[in-house]
Amino acid sequence: MKVRVPASTANLGPGFDVLAIALAKYIEVEVLPSEQLLIETVGEGSDFPADDSHLAARVAKKVLGNNNVRINISSEIPLARGLGSSAALSLAVAAACGAKDPLGEAVFFEGHGENAAASFQGGLIAAVTVENKVEVRQFDLDERAAFVLLIPDRQLATSDARSVLPEILPRQDAIFNLGRLTLLLSGLGDIDTLITQAGQDKLHQPYRSKLFPEAEILMERLISAGALMACWSGAGSTILGICHKDRAGYVSEQGSLILQSAGLSGRSELVEPDRKGLVVTGK
């Protein structure tokens, strides 16, 4: 079976480990019978060892009971940039292997569900684990919303980004994020009401800034260029600017200059949201 799965951007500022939006950057996976494990990768991730340690091989083995399959992967989702590459791959391989619950399989490997749920369902979602089951809810996403990604060449591993987070947080910081979360959901549903403060966060971005000190200036300059709000994409290193469609092209053009002004190599991309999620493209 062959499936296509979109990338995702998670957290969105105050929605830490809960909110995500599917983005129109894709990974396509085909799984075919084989006498032994064969993994062929084109695009992002093509330099990974094609052996039992590969995430695709581990997912296939869990779903099928063995990994005697040929797995063809074509990906345009950058790795270790906060765009849900591992969630998308896990989901795509599980689905291509015929898993009854591909989302559940992806969450098993991810540990939390928002990236995988966005890639599975498309659009803007919240994913919450309730009694060992991931509950997914979809929210309105204004058709006029567009997304600018500043994608540095510098990778930032999610494990490193999680290691700097404190175990205990001040109550006022939790209240701060809850308030911003309401502004964010309202603004994403009606882009005319989205304000810069909707992207503010006190639970993860400030602590992660020591790993990527340029992030703050990138966000500030995206907003100065016309983005309505800006935040880390997932655990970084990609920075996300949410824009009105009418302004997004200009913001994206400025994005390359913004990266250069911060002394970073990388690229700026204007990306539409994906609203379909996982799609079977071949049997």
Side-chain angles (χ1 to χ4, degrees):
M1 184 183 296
K2 182 185 287 189
V3 302
R4 190 188 74 173
V5 166
S8 60
T9 179
N11 299 332
L12 311 177
F16 180 57
D17 274 6
V18 174
L19 291 185
I21 297 173
L23 298 176
K25 292 178 72 68
Y26 297 98
I27 184 168
E28 191 166 55
V29 170
E30 183 180 29
V31 175
L32 300 168
S34 175
E35 293 182 358
Q36 62 183 359
L37 174 66
L38 295 170
I39 300 175
E40 294 288 340
T41 303
V42 176
E44 300 286 347
S46 58
D47 55 345
F48 275 21
D51 56 25
D52 288 349
S53 68
H54 197 290
L55 177 59
R58 292 186 280 124
V59 174
K61 187 171 184 178
K62 182 176 185 301
V63 174
L64 299 173
N66 65 78
N67 55 22
N68 295 330
V69 289
R70 179 186 180 95
I71 305 174
N72 298 323
I73 303 168
S74 177
S75 178
E76 56 186 22
I77 306 174
L79 306 180
R81 302 300 206 291
L83 292 169
S85 59
S86 60
L89 177 60
S90 299
L91 178 68
V93 173
C97 286
K100 292 182 179 180
D101 180 16
L103 176 57
E105 299 292 351
V107 173
F108 174 85
F109 285 92
E110 281 295 288
H112 49 94
E114 72 280 5
N115 286 103
S119 292
F120 180 70
Q121 193 160 311
L124 167 63
I125 63 88
V128 181
T129 300
V130 179
E131 297 181 355
N132 297 318
K133 179 184 176 184
V134 177
E135 297 285 349
V136 182
R137 300 292 184 270
Q138 195 152 34
F139 293 88
D140 291 340
L141 180 60
D142 197 316
E143 295 281 351
R144 299 169 296 166
F147 303 88
V148 173
L149 305 177
L150 300 188
I151 309 174
D153 290 335
R154 183 190 307 170
Q155 293 187 333
L156 182 55
T158 302
S159 56
D160 293 339
R162 285 196 171 273
S163 71
V164 299
L165 301 181
E167 292 294 328
I168 299 175
L169 292 159
R171 177 174 61 184
Q172 286 303 119
D173 289 353
I175 294 170
F176 178 95
N177 268 52
L178 287 170
R180 270 39 181 198
L181 184 60
T182 62
L183 296 175
L184 177 63
L185 288 173
S186 174
L188 290 173
D190 179 0
I191 204 73
D192 291 334
T193 69
L194 185 63
I195 60 175
T196 299
Q197 291 80 1
Q200 292 177 335
D201 159 77
K202 289 191 176 182
L203 300 188
H204 66 105
Q205 292 180 170
Y207 301 102
R208 288 169 166 169
S209 62
K210 66 181 71 174
L211 301 176
F212 187 32
E214 299 91 344
E216 189 64 33
I217 193 68
L218 294 179
M219 291 188 288
E220 290 176 1
R221 290 175 181 172
L222 272 174
I223 292 168
S224 295
L228 297 170
M229 59 160 275
C231 58
W232 288 54
S233 179
S237 59
T238 296
I239 298 299
L240 171 71
I242 301 180
C243 312
H244 193 290
K245 268 188 178 179
D246 293 345
R247 187 70 173 168
Y250 175 79
V251 176
S252 180
E253 291 174 3
Q254 293 300 301
S256 298
L257 298 177
I258 291 170
L259 284 166
Q260 292 174 20
S261 71
L264 294 168
S265 59
R267 63 189 187 274
S268 174
E269 293 188 10
L270 174 57
V271 183
E272 294 288 328
D274 173 277
R275 297 177 186 272
K276 294 183 178 179
L278 187 153
V279 174
V280 175
T281 58
K283 296 294 186 180

